[in-house]
Amino acid sequence: LADEPPDALYVTGIAPLASGEVWVAAEEGGLIRVGASGGCTQYTTGSGLLDPFVYSVAHDSHGMLYVGQGRHGLLRFDPAAGQGAPVGEPYVGRHVYDVEMAAGDQKWVASETGVTVLSAGDQVLAHFDDTAGLPGPVVLDVALGQDGTAWAVPRPGRLPHHTDGWGWPPGGRP
């Protein structure tokens, strides 16, 4: 762990907390905690992550971080313990590009296999891919509207698609 981040970071995501600290996702730089009063702590494969390629980070209401990794999927990371555990397998792909938190600590995950919705307890609630109306399996970004609509951005060069066209699974919206 370092007190200062590396000189050159390719920042791919950011998650500010109410406490004033900020978590930064960095490609090839892992996860960096910037303290509310300054100072940095960097987490990499030797300090709780499975992968130095981190594309996204989000936090739940209990202080757990959800880290989208470039080669090892979605990781639930406990910053107090400095430990992580994979979640969402096998639906969440190895390459996780975005994680968005919704009400009730629900997670919406964009990956190479589509969009996966996880419950507060990290159970798979729904999975959307090209068989569910998305134009392809790879989704680079997901965003949640205030009205509950989810938007997905597939591979570059494609327009966003929203949940009205995805064909929700039996039982309706999670």
Side-chain angles (χ1 to χ4, degrees):
L1 304 181
D3 291 330
E4 295 295 325
D7 291 334
L9 286 175
Y10 182 72
V11 173
T12 54
I14 188 166
L17 276 63
S19 65
E21 70 182 30
V22 177
W23 288 88
V24 178
E27 184 175 326
E28 294 189 64
L31 191 61
I32 297 144
R33 179 192 163 275
V34 180
S37 58
C40 295
T41 305
Q42 184 177 18
Y43 297 85
T44 61
T45 54
S47 51
L49 298 184
L50 298 176
D51 194 334
F53 290 87
V54 176
Y55 295 126
S56 59
V57 61
H59 63 89
D60 70 11
S61 63
H62 304 288
M64 288 292 168
L65 298 175
Y66 288 83
V67 181
Q69 301 176 110
R71 295 181 290 211
H72 288 92
L74 183 65
L75 186 75
R76 180 181 56 240
F77 184 75
D78 180 348
Q83 296 180 344
V87 295
E89 296 176 336
Y91 292 98
V92 173
R94 292 178 323 187
H95 305 292
V96 172
Y97 302 110
D98 189 29
V99 181
E100 294 292 328
M101 298 299 291
D105 287 337
Q106 201 178 71
K107 285 141 303 269
W108 288 69
V109 183
S111 77
E112 66 183 12
T113 63
V115 175
T116 305
V117 183
L118 302 175
S119 70
D122 300 329
Q123 300 300 312
V124 175
L125 297 176
H127 179 75
F128 306 100
D129 57 18
D130 50 347
T131 65
L134 289 173
V138 178
V139 176
L140 301 177
D141 196 10
V142 64
L144 306 174
Q146 291 182 358
D147 64 354
T149 299
W151 292 84
V153 177
R155 284 189 178 270
R158 306 294 296 263
L159 293 175
H161 283 67
H162 58 85
T163 48
D164 289 343
W166 293 356
W168 288 96
R173 293 178 182 233

